[in-house]
């Protein structure tokens, strides 16, 4: 949804996914309405420094410049109650969700600084769960809390290079990840949302579009909740 929105906004989009099939599927539905748009699909494993660095090299080779906007949205869940949570499940979630955001933020910002670019945008996707916690998600909540802290720290360091770093904190959004949640649990949370519905991917994409645009040129180090009001306060 973020890729679709950026394509409609006129960007040339690189869809990066650990699954080549998924990346190509997303690539196939992107609009090419504006002259000069050139989209691409590439594979990346965000928990691997080598894979992330190779991704940035391929982008620079194809477009002759580093990406000016990076949305880091890769994430996994391996839910279990704390007393039963295996160490490997904790480590794996942090490798993808937190280390992946770190590696992408570092690689993109390094490329932007090296190119002499005067501005750039990094958007890391956290979660409202990172602020409030959730039953059975100690690993996921910890990883997403880390993403928010990482992004705020990056914003303080990279502002002098014109690079803005912000976090989007979705609530319960209708995605394949939430499709695994039992319907009775989703119904419960839907009843807690002041706006009376669960979120759609487009709700998150719209905020990412705003943060990538010059309309948010004086916003950095911010965390924007996209939750319909869930857990406000």
């Amino acid at each position: 949804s973020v890729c679709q929105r950026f394509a409609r906004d006129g960007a040339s989009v690189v869809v990066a996914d650990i699954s080549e099939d998924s990346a190509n599927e997303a690539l196939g539905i992107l609009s090419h309405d504006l002259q000069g748009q050139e989209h691409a699909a590439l594979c990346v494993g965000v928990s691997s420094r080598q894979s992330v660095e190779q991704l940035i090299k391929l982008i620079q080779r194809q477009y002759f410049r580093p990406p000016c906007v990076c949305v880091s949205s890769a994430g996994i869940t391996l839910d279990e109650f704390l007393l039963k949570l295996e160490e490997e499940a904790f480590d794996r979630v942090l490798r993808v969700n937190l280390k992946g955001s770190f590696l992408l933020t570092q690689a993109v910002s390094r490329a932007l600084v090296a190119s002499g670019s005067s501005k750039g945008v990094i958007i890391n996707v956290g979660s409202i769960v990172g602020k409030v916690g959730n039953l059975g998600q100690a690993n996921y909540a910890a990883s997403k809390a880390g993403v928010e802290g990482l992004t705020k720290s990056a914003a303080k360091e990279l502002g002098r290079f014109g690079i803005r770093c912000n976090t989007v904190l979705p609530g319960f959004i209708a995605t394949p990840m939430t499709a695994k949640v039992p319907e009775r649990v989703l119904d419960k949370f839907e009843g807690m949302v002041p706006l009376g519905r669960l979120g759609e991917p487009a709700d998150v994409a719209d905020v990412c579009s705003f943060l990538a645009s010059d309309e948010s040129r004086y916003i950095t180090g911010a965390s924007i909740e996209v939750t319909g009001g869930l857990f406000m306060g």
Side-chain angles (χ1 to χ4, degrees):
S1 187
V2 172
C3 291
Q4 286 177 302
R5 175 58 194 262
F6 279 19
R8 290 199 304 271
D9 288 346
S12 290
V13 176
V14 176
V15 185
D17 197 294
I18 196 168
S19 164
E20 184 177 2
D21 290 341
S22 294
N24 284 320
E25 181 181 355
L27 177 66
I29 58 176
L30 300 185
S31 61
H32 298 72
D33 297 335
L34 298 180
Q35 187 175 8
Q37 279 187 301
E38 180 187 352
H39 306 316
L42 297 172
C43 284
V44 64
V46 295
S47 61
S48 163
R49 174 180 296 278
Q50 181 180 8
S51 181
V52 170
E53 290 178 348
Q54 180 65 13
L55 170 70
I56 302 304
K57 288 179 182 177
L58 291 173
I59 292 172
Q60 290 184 296
R61 188 179 304 160
Q62 181 164 342
Y63 294 93
F64 305 103
R65 57 174 294 180
C68 58
V69 178
C70 172
V71 179
S72 176
S73 60
I76 62 170
T77 57
L78 293 172
D79 295 348
E80 182 56 272
F81 291 114
L82 180 64
L83 296 180
K84 297 180 180 179
L85 184 61
E86 297 287 343
E87 182 179 358
E88 172 54 26
F90 186 90
D91 289 344
R92 186 178 169 201
V93 168
L94 263 70
R95 280 198 301 270
V96 175
N97 297 4
L98 180 54
K99 183 182 177 183
S101 295
F102 157 68
L103 290 175
L104 279 167
T105 298
Q106 185 182 65
V108 170
S109 58
R110 279 177 171 173
L112 285 167
V113 171
S115 73
S117 176
S118 61
K119 63 179 182 179
V121 175
I122 295 171
I123 302 167
N124 288 323
V125 178
S127 171
I128 192 62
V129 169
K131 293 187 78 169
V132 302
N134 197 28
L135 292 170
Q137 289 196 311
N139 50 1
Y140 184 77
S143 72
K144 292 302 188 177
V147 167
E148 191 172 8
L150 163 72
T151 308
K152 289 181 182 294
S153 299
K156 291 186 175 184
E157 292 188 24
L158 299 175
R160 65 191 180 97
F161 300 108
I163 300 172
R164 297 189 293 108
C165 305
N166 293 292
T167 314
V168 177
L169 305 180
F172 282 84
I173 309 295
T175 67
M177 183 179 287
T178 55
K180 303 177 200 174
V181 179
E183 188 172 348
R184 58 183 173 77
V185 176
L186 291 178
D187 289 343
K188 175 184 175 182
F189 279 108
E190 185 173 356
M192 296 167 59
V193 177
L195 291 185
R197 67 172 178 87
L198 299 181
E200 297 293 334
D203 297 323
V204 177
D206 289 345
V207 175
C208 289
S209 175
F210 167 69
L211 290 174
S213 74
D214 286 340
E215 293 178 349
S216 62
R217 59 189 173 274
Y218 201 57
I219 298 176
T220 194
S223 299
I224 299 183
E225 297 180 13
V226 188
T227 66
L230 182 67
F231 300 133
M232 74 169 88

